[in-house]
């Protein structure tokens, strides 16, 4: 769903951070080759960082770290099909995988000390927690992210209300053929993630909470009464061309960079693109519509798999994730190459990046993506509801489209 990038400049920054951590890694690793091996799945963008960090940790434990590059988008599903001999002991993962992985017994609870827990915002720990009766922590958060509204301040004023945003975007669109209203990606397959601020702003939600405060998959809010009461605004957006579902990721990005759109909805994975664009910009939260237009919050982290026990390295895997990955120094090093704000509070205070700070502020009040297995039944139908409602000529009425999506989701969940 989201592109993962890094740059040579950030790699240099990583090297500087790791110099403090690494010490005499080469000689230490050489002496530990005979020890037990902990296998870690990481994506290509963060392999270098994870390898150096894991080697530093392993050298101190008399172990060996084996970091294997794995497509981030395939880690969750591949963990369920991999042969035990080739399986990882630790994985990088997104918090919304937690429910599915835990329910299938593929990951183990993490034992994090009370002192360590104080170093993280509560929602980041909740994001990696799952349980139908008693919640357990299954991952240590390392990075947080969300989307925001990027405003080209040379072309328009920074809107403080949605009415102002709508007015400025439509006025800019009418100035010249080819101009867009709000550049927000959807495309043929839809994109419920990027559309979530508009969804929440109209009153939509995915799942409600039960009396215990846990997500309730029987309470689906895709077409709830509050949302339907204001759904006609989506029909207006479609009619005036404020939002058009034909825009995909590259079209939206190119339009903003070429000055054909004054507003772009994107996230920190495009921070390098923004910094190198030469444009004057400001990142804000989409202004309130009928309700606060908050984005989804995403949390990434590390989890211990069931295979750590199979490989007789469970205690080592737990130590790596709970006692090493959780530290401020380690998270600072990861943040230096990933372009994501660190989850560790102390690391966040040390991390000075104005663009990421603006994205972080745009996430205020955001909603962590539901981490229960039933969320897998939501993405397609919710995304398609937006596609049908904002495709321009021939679009369906929003109320009908989202009602249909809610019925489809309920049928899938059963």
């Amino acid at each position: 769903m989201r592109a993962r990038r890094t740059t040579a400049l950030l790699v240099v920054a990583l090297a500087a951070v790791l110099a403090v951590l690494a010490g005499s890694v080469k000689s230490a690793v050489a002496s530990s080759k005979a020890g037990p091996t902990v296998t870690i799945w990481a994506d290509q963008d963060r392999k270098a960082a994870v390898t150096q960090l894991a080697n530093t940790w392993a050298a101190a434990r008399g172990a060996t770290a084996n970091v294997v590059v794995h497509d981030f988008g395939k880690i969750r599903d591949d963990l369920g099909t991999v042969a035990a001999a080739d399986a990882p002991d630790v994985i990088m993962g997104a918090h919304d995988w937690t429910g599915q992985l835990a329910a299938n017994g593929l990951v183990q609870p993490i034992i994090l000390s009370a002192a360590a827990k104080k170093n993280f915002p509560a929602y980041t720990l909740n994001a990696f927690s799952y349980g139908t009766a008693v919640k357990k922590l299954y991952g240590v958060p390392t990075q947080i992210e969300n989307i925001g509204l990027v405003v080209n301040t040379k072309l328009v004023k920074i809107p403080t209300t949605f009415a102002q945003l709508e007015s400025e975007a439509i006025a800019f669109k009418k100035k010249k053929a080819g101009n867009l209203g709000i550049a927000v990606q959807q495309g043929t397959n839809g994109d419920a993630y990027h559309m979530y601020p508009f969804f929440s702003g109209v009153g939509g939600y995915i799942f409600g909470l039960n009396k215990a405060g846990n997500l309730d998959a029987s309470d689906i809010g895709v077409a709830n009464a509050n949302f339907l009461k204001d759904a006609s605004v989506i029909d207006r957006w479609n009619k005036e061309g404020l939002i058009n579902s034909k825009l995909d990721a590259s079209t939206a990005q190119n339009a903003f960079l070429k000055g054909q759109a004054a507003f772009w909805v994107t996230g920190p994975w495009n921070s390098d693109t923004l910094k190198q664009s030469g444009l004057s910009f400001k990142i804000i939260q989409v202004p309130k519509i009928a309700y606060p237009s908050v984005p989804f919050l995403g949390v990434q982290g590390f989890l211990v798999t069931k295979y750590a026990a199979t490989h007789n390295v469970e205690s080592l895997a737990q130590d790596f994730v709970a006692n090493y990955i959780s530290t401020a120094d380690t998270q600072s090093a990861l943040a230096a190459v990933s372009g994501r704000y660190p989850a560790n509070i102390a690391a966040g205070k040390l991390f000075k990046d104005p663009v990421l700070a603006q994205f972080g502020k745009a996430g205020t009040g955001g909603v962590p993506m539901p981490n229960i297995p039933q969320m897998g039944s939501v993405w397609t139908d919710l995304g398609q509801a937006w596609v049908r409602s904002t495709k321009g000529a021939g679009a369906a009425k929003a109320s009908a489209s989202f009602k249909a999506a809610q019925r489809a989701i309920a049928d899938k969940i059963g």
Side-chain angles (χ1 to χ4, degrees), residues 346-400:
K349 291 179 180 178
L350 298 172
F351 195 65
K352 306 300 181 183
D353 185 309
V355 174
L356 290 181
Q358 289 181 55
F359 273 118
K361 188 174 181 180
T364 301
V367 177
M369 286 183 287
N371 68 0
I372 57 177
Q374 293 88 340
M375 186 61 191
S377 299
V378 173
W379 291 112
T380 298
D381 290 299
L382 180 56
Q384 285 299 312
W386 280 107
V387 170
R388 291 191 298 268
S389 302
T390 60
K391 66 179 183 179
K397 288 286 186 182
S399 57

Side-chain angles (χ1 to χ4, degrees), residues 95 120-129 137 139-141 143-144 299 343 368:
H95 82 268
F120 297 92
Y123 87 84
T124 65
L125 296 174
N126 288 336
F128 274 106
S129 299
L137 180 68
V140 168
Q143 300 164 324
I144 55 181
V299 188

Side-chain angles (χ1 to χ4, degrees), residues 10 18 51 91 118 126 132 140 242 258 319:
L10 289 175
L18 288 176
T51 298
I91 59 169
K118 291 181 181 179
N126 288 336
T132 54
V140 168
L242 180 70
K258 292 178 180 178
D319 179 65

Side-chain angles (χ1 to χ4, degrees), residues 18-350:
L18 288 176
V20 178
L21 297 171
S24 56
V25 172
K26 290 184 179 179
S27 60
V29 170
S31 66
S32 67
K33 287 184 178 178
T37 298
V38 175
T39 298
I40 304 163
W41 278 0
D43 62 7
Q44 182 63 55
D45 286 348
R46 286 167 283 197
K47 178 183 185 295
V50 174
T51 298
Q52 291 196 49
L53 291 166
N55 282 344
T56 302
W57 164 83
R61 302 299 190 275
T64 300
N66 174 34
V67 180
V68 178
V69 173
H70 210 90
D71 184 330
F72 190 83
K74 295 180 179 179
I75 289 177
R76 173 178 54 180
D77 292 339
D78 288 354
L79 187 63
T81 59
V82 66
D86 302 319
D89 306 302
V90 173
I91 59 169
M92 295 180 59
H95 82 268
D96 53 318
W97 303 353
T98 305
Q100 179 180 327
L101 293 177
N104 292 336
L106 292 170
V107 291
Q108 299 299 318
I110 295 292
I111 302 170
L112 200 62
S113 70
K117 288 180 179 179
K118 291 181 181 179
N119 292 322
F120 297 92
Y123 87 84
T124 65
L125 296 174
N126 288 336
F128 274 106
S129 299
Y130 175 76
T132 54
V134 178
K135 279 190 174 183
K136 295 181 180 179
L137 180 68
Y138 285 90
V140 168
T142 56
Q143 300 164 324
I144 55 181
E145 65 182 17
N146 56 267
I147 57 176
L149 179 70
V150 188
V151 183
N152 185 324
T153 56
K154 285 288 183 67
L155 299 177
V156 292
K157 294 180 180 179
I158 299 172
T160 57
T161 66
F162 194 86
Q164 183 187 354
L165 167 60
E166 186 174 1
S167 175
E168 289 197 40
I170 295 303
F172 179 81
K173 182 178 182 294
K174 291 179 178 179
K175 279 185 177 181
K176 186 178 179 181
N179 281 2
L180 303 177
I182 299 176
V184 52
Q185 69 183 64
Q186 293 190 71
T188 303
N189 296 323
D191 195 320
Y193 176 82
H194 280 82
M195 293 304 297
Y196 193 83
F198 303 96
F199 180 64
S200 62
V202 181
Y205 65 89
I206 307 297
F207 299 122
L209 300 177
N210 60 23
K211 292 181 179 180
N214 296 328
L215 290 166
D216 182 359
S218 68
D219 179 4
I220 304 170
V222 170
N224 71 79
N226 289 335
F227 177 86
L228 293 176
K229 180 169 63 71
D230 293 304
S232 61
V233 300
I234 300 173
D235 301 327
R236 184 180 75 230
W237 299 343
N238 178 69
K239 184 177 181 180
E240 64 191 7
L242 180 70
I243 293 170
N244 192 307
S245 65
K246 295 173 184 176
L247 269 68
D248 59 17
S250 61
T251 305
Q253 175 177 312
N254 291 335
F256 186 81
L257 296 179
K258 292 178 180 178
Q260 295 176 314
F263 302 99
W264 180 27
V265 176
T266 191
W269 46 92
N270 276 318
S271 59
D272 285 347
T273 299
L274 287 168
K275 292 172 186 175
Q276 296 163 12
S277 69
L279 300 174
S280 297
F281 63 89
K282 177 77 173 179
I283 303 162
I284 64 171
Q285 188 172 98
V286 174
K288 176 182 177 180
I289 305 174
Y291 302 88
S293 304
V294 297
F296 265 144
L297 299 177
V299 188
Q300 293 181 13
F302 284 74
L303 304 90
V304 175
T305 78
K306 72 171 187 177
Y307 297 104
T310 303
H311 300 157
N312 295 315
V313 293
E314 185 173 12
S315 61
L316 279 170
Q318 284 277 348
D319 179 65
F320 176 68
V321 174
N323 300 328
Y324 188 72
I325 287 297
S326 63
T327 64
D329 284 344
T330 301
Q331 298 216 358
S332 293
L334 285 171
V337 296
S338 66
R340 304 291 193 281
Y341 201 78
N344 181 284
I345 295 171
K349 291 179 180 178
L350 298 172

